[in-house]
Amino acid sequence: MTATLPTRSLGTTGPRVSVLGLGCMGMSALYGESDRAESLATIHAALDAGVTLLDTGDFYGMGHNELLINEALRTAPGAAREHALISVKFGALRTVEGGFTGYDGRPEAVKNFAAYSLQRLGTDHIDIYRIARVDPDVPIEETVGALAELVQAGHVRHIGLSEVGADTLRRAAAVAPIADLQIEYSLLSRSIEEKILPAARELGIGVTAYGVLSRGLISGHFTRDRELAPGDFRGMSPRFQGDNLRRNLDLVDGLRAVAEAKGVTVAQTAIAWVLAQGPRHGTDIVPLIGARRRDRLAEALGALDVTLDAEDLAAVEQAVPAGAAAGERYPAAQMAHLDSEH
């Protein structure tokens, strides 16, 4: 029998989803080799634990991740499959070699991307559909207008956005209802608190937070002498380089002291902190957990049993103050694509 988890609404117009979602990217891309059998087992374990939100992108492994989710859902028990919701990002342009060359938000491209995703996922609709990054050459109103047409046609249930700033969020919401904004949010990435979270609250838009463990940096499992596998994105990430890595892991040491005092893990403390931010900011926030293995998934789910009171939150934020991260969250070329940072 599938377990149940607490749920949160993705804004005023979106669906109710489990309080934690499963981010599936690492099962197909950007973190080196992954184990297909373990990936499928992890998705099944998440569904069995009551996780209802699976997050993917059509460019994760150039379709590999969508096909993986298709297989996982086809082989999952009926009850778990029935309650699963799929969130898909689209728009990234890739090369055969795996490079990124930009984003395409033209209406005809939006519908093209959706057609391929529906086929790979083996479903007649996508629960939440969002462009991964704003196409600077296409007004967001045109991209969202195309998404609204997909909703009207029944191919998409809800419209989401990803990594957009407050002004773009308002422009998009003026065209069609927006369920949620997917954006990086963690102890090391708190810039959304100033303008973006207030805009989401004002517009009734939920937040799905990715990178809550900063790509493993604040998981408690990343060591100073770790050698990354070929193809691991973190090999190019500023926060994982040289002095930046040392300074960031010093912050993790401080967080570890807080976690150990509570008898929980570093990862559970970091996830619990993000879970606590929704009530603090008046916005529904659903953290996405990028677990690729069942043991990491189990650890993350344990964060739901962690309660951080005001004293705990103060201790966490003293260990990892806002703005304390060393290095940007992406290399400069990718930072340039983030509407949320401009």
Side-chain angles (χ1 to χ4, degrees):
M1 181 178 295
T2 301
T4 58
L5 292 178
T7 61
R8 289 180 178 175
S9 292
L10 292 185
T12 56
T13 65
R16 290 196 72 83
V17 299
S18 53
V19 72
L20 290 178
L22 181 65
C24 300
M25 180 188 76
M27 299 176 181
S28 298
L30 298 178
Y31 291 118
E33 291 294 324
S34 60
D35 182 321
R36 185 179 187 84
E38 182 62 24
S39 295
L40 291 168
T42 300
I43 295 173
H44 287 162
L47 294 171
D48 190 57
V51 173
T52 63
L53 180 63
L54 302 178
D55 183 77
T56 185
D58 63 8
F59 50 94
Y60 293 166
M62 279 72 96
H64 178 279
N65 205 238
E66 289 179 318
L67 292 169
L68 184 76
I69 289 174
N70 179 334
E71 181 178 352
L73 292 177
R74 280 191 291 107
T75 55
R81 184 170 63 248
E82 179 183 345
H83 292 105
L85 300 175
I86 305 174
S87 166
V88 180
K89 290 178 289 298
F90 69 89
L93 303 176
R94 305 294 304 271
T95 67
V96 174
E97 296 75 21
F100 287 84
T101 60
Y103 297 88
D104 193 344
R106 294 171 302 144
E108 58 268 37
V110 172
K111 295 172 183 178
N112 178 76
F113 286 127
Y116 280 87
S117 282
L118 288 167
Q119 180 68 26
R120 285 188 291 261
L121 290 166
T123 181
D124 63 357
H125 71 275
I126 297 168
D127 295 289
I128 311 161
Y129 202 45
R130 70 187 82 245
I131 190 164
R133 301 287 186 269
V134 173
D135 181 345
D137 298 323
V138 178
I140 193 64
E141 289 85 354
E142 293 184 17
T143 301
V144 172
L147 288 168
E149 290 177 9
L150 287 172
V151 171
Q152 187 174 19
H155 304 310
V156 169
R157 294 282 171 83
H158 302 280
I159 300 170
L161 292 169
S162 176
E163 287 290 353
V164 304
D167 291 342
T168 303
L169 200 59
R170 292 189 178 92
R171 288 169 53 197
V175 175
I178 306 297
D180 74 314
L181 168 64
Q182 188 172 121
I183 196 162
E184 184 166 353
Y185 188 41
S186 73
L187 280 165
L188 292 186
S189 299
R190 296 180 59 179
S191 61
I192 70 171
E193 292 174 348
E194 183 180 355
K195 294 181 180 179
I196 295 175
L197 280 182
R201 180 178 65 242
E202 167 197 331
L203 298 166
I205 295 172
V207 171
T208 42
Y210 75 89
V212 294
L213 297 179
S214 297
R215 299 165 182 81
L217 184 56
I218 56 173
S219 67
H221 301 296
F222 203 94
T223 60
R224 287 170 170 79
D225 58 353
R226 179 171 173 176
E227 293 188 8
L228 295 170
D232 192 318
F233 158 80
R234 292 170 293 189
M236 298 182 295
S237 173
R239 290 183 177 173
F240 288 82
Q241 307 303 312
D243 287 341
N244 286 348
L245 177 61
R246 286 187 286 275
R247 289 164 58 192
N248 289 327
L249 289 179
D250 285 345
L251 295 173
V252 176
D253 288 341
L255 185 61
R256 191 186 311 277
V258 177
E260 289 178 350
K262 285 191 68 67
V264 299
T265 71
V266 175
Q268 289 167 345
T269 305
I271 295 166
W273 181 87
V274 176
L275 283 166
Q277 301 314 301
R280 292 178 84 186
H281 293 279
T283 303
D284 289 315
I285 298 176
V286 175
L288 298 173
I289 305 304
R292 301 196 295 170
R293 300 181 348 217
R294 283 168 287 179
D295 59 336
R296 294 288 192 254
L297 171 68
E299 180 184 19
L301 290 171
L304 297 176
D305 297 322
V306 179
T307 300
L308 299 178
D309 60 23
E311 184 177 343
D312 295 326
L313 290 169
V316 168
E317 292 171 18
Q318 182 177 4
V320 187
E328 298 285 1
R329 54 195 181 104
Y330 287 104
Q334 294 183 41
M335 288 293 291
H337 286 294
L338 297 178
D339 181 78
S340 56
E341 296 287 343
H342 302 304

